[in-house]
Amino acid sequence: MWLVLAERLVVTSTMTFSLGSIDAGPHDGFSPGGHFDLGVTFKDLRLAAELDAGLWSDEDAPDDMPESGGYTRVGGAMRYYFTDLNVGNERNKQSLLRLYVEAGIGRQMIDTPSFEIDRPDLALGFGMQQQARLGKVTLGGQFGVRVLVSEAPAPSLVCRGACEAPAYRRHDLAMFFTMGFAVGR
Amino acid sequence: MKVLLAILLLASTAHADDDRLANRETMIAGFGLVSMQVDGIANSGMAVQPTLTRTFDRFELQVEYLLADLRDDSMRQPGSILHRLGFSGRYQAARARVDRSMTLDFVVEGGVGLQYLERDDGDVIGRNDLSLGFGLRMLSDVTHGRRAFMGLEAMFRGLVTPSGDKAFVFVFGVPFGR
């Protein structure tokens, strides 16, 4: 039984370019970067470990004081392929366009000269992965959109005496468009 | 409403037999840019937009969810996260078919939307809007057997709210479906 199960498991790795924005409290960041993951697919489910890395530049910084830093994220995600479009031979499914939705958790780090953020997040996404089988190898393009929801840092405040904390939105959002390719066997 | 349904049904059966591209159900993973006035002040930012579309020959019905991260370049007001749920009626004003397996469509659309803005200072704004737009789409049937479509779509849309705030949305995406 374990042998049969192992034969049905497909190990794939995805490498994509990502372009997006990441909120950090009142700071709006632009973030081009890359996404790498390694996952195991069984039928319509894929479980993957993920690594994201990119630049983070503060769009609110004054022109004469530009601020830029780095963005890193590690996490895991579960993907569900809800539809397979067979683009190859009708009899054997050697070439598929697999449409998916995914959800995951992770930890993101933003490091700039003036502040550092280290926080957990929730990832939601959907997209499409092409899966062409060439012998024992699977190969294909992949693209999608992804949204990260995380807790917003509280605004910094220096109080001399009693004062009320300012109101602020409690969650931050990051959104990415990803495009790249996936390989596996 | 009955007239609209009758038109859609007639349109959906007119070319269904000989047209592999007729009456599609497609989904778009869209990504784009938004420029939107909030209380008369321009905000802009990136957006993602999942979109579902059903075509009835030249007529299309669409539902879209726009999620955008907005900021005011002039720093006069706090930034915000925009959620917009939109419904559109669309029409393929011009189209060209290539080898019966590929279509190039010029689409015009009109619709309504509900906006919910979560501002950085914790305030929220809810409002509705009217939308008008146009777009270009290339879609191919990439199979030999059962239909499966994939292509590219670029959509430009203008919004106006009852208070007179305007917005412009550009979304580029990859439609796929069957």
Side-chain angles (χ1 to χ4, degrees):
Chain A
M1 178 191 147
W2 292 110
L3 197 61
V4 173
L5 184 65
E7 282 178 356
R8 290 186 178 182
L9 293 177
V10 180
V11 178
T12 52
S13 177
T14 306
M15 284 150 276
T16 65
F17 169 74
S18 68
L19 186 68
S21 68
I22 308 173
D23 275 346
H27 305 284
D28 296 290
F30 172 68
S31 181
H35 169 91
F36 172 81
D37 71 36
L38 184 63
V40 177
T41 305
F42 178 70
K43 292 186 177 177
D44 294 333
L45 292 175
R46 179 175 189 262
L47 182 65
E50 305 175 320
L51 171 68
D52 299 83
L55 301 175
W56 188 90
S57 57
D58 190 349
E59 295 180 271
D60 299 324
D63 291 342
D64 55 349
M65 290 178 64
E67 181 169 51
S68 117
Y71 161 73
T72 315
R73 177 179 182 274
V74 290
M78 178 68 84
R79 179 181 293 180
Y80 173 61
Y81 295 101
F82 61 91
T83 299
D84 288 341
L85 304 174
N86 186 9
V87 297
N89 191 319
E90 187 66 18
R91 292 178 187 170
N92 50 12
K93 295 185 175 179
Q94 296 291 304
S95 188
L96 299 173
L97 296 176
R98 309 197 75 184
L99 315 187
Y100 67 80
V101 291
E102 62 183 1
I105 54 173
R107 190 155 197 96
Q108 58 178 255
M109 286 77 75
I110 299 171
D111 188 4
T112 75
S114 59
F115 65 88
E116 288 180 18
I117 292 176
D118 185 338
R119 59 187 176 183
D121 64 33
L122 173 69
L124 299 167
F126 79 104
M128 192 211 74
Q129 183 180 325
Q130 183 190 14
Q131 183 178 297
R133 185 168 284 280
L134 304 168
K136 289 186 175 179
V137 178
T138 64
L139 187 67
Q142 192 266 336
F143 55 87
V145 294
R146 178 171 256 221
V147 174
L148 307 178
V149 184
S150 54
E151 187 180 356
S156 56
L157 182 70
V158 178
C159 277
R160 298 185 189 281
C163 62
E164 278 187 27
Y168 67 103
R169 193 184 59 238
R170 302 289 166 154
H171 61 277
D172 277 345
L173 207 65
M175 55 184 76
F176 296 97
F177 176 71
T178 62
M179 181 178 279
F181 61 91
V183 292
R185 59 178 299 153
Chain B
M1 191 66 191
K2 287 179 180 174
V3 174
L4 177 63
L5 280 173
I7 291 171
L8 292 177
L9 282 172
L10 285 171
S12 67
T13 54
H15 297 279
D17 294 339
D18 60 347
D19 188 352
R20 285 179 62 80
L21 289 146
N23 307 331
R24 311 178 292 261
E25 290 166 0
T26 54
M27 179 176 170
I28 302 174
F31 192 78
L33 298 169
V34 177
S35 179
M36 170 175 278
Q37 289 181 325
V38 181
D39 297 334
I41 296 175
N43 287 246
S44 58
M46 289 187 177
V48 295
Q49 184 182 279
T51 306
L52 297 172
T53 307
R54 173 71 162 94
T55 68
F56 303 87
D57 193 23
R58 283 179 181 266
F59 290 94
E60 305 182 358
L61 292 177
Q62 180 169 289
V63 56
E64 69 257 352
Y65 169 61
L66 178 70
L67 177 65
D69 184 12
L70 302 176
R71 58 184 288 273
D72 168 25
D73 283 334
S74 65
M75 307 289 282
R76 284 178 289 171
Q77 65 180 198
S80 53
I81 292 172
L82 165 69
H83 306 264
R84 178 183 183 272
L85 184 63
F87 304 91
S88 305
R90 313 172 94 203
Y91 180 71
Q92 297 167 13
R95 69 183 185 190
R97 294 282 164 86
V98 180
D99 292 337
R100 296 179 62 200
S101 63
M102 178 180 175
T103 184
L104 303 169
D105 300 332
F106 173 72
V107 183
V108 293
E109 66 163 37
V112 294
L114 295 168
Q115 297 179 18
Y116 184 75
L117 286 144
E118 294 179 278
R119 301 176 80 163
D120 289 350
D121 62 3
D123 204 4
V124 295
I125 299 171
R127 58 187 185 177
N128 46 30
D129 63 49
L130 292 173
S131 71
L132 280 175
F134 65 92
L136 285 168
R137 174 176 55 219
M138 183 278 288
L139 203 64
S140 261
D141 181 1
V142 290
T143 64
H144 302 292
R146 292 176 60 189
R147 302 190 313 173
F149 301 112
M150 189 176 165
L152 294 170
E153 180 165 337
M155 194 73 209
F156 183 82
R157 181 179 294 137
L159 314 175
V160 60
T161 66
S163 66
D165 280 348
K166 299 171 192 68
F168 298 96
V169 181
F170 172 74
V171 174
F172 173 82
V174 181
F176 39 82
R178 60 189 172 192

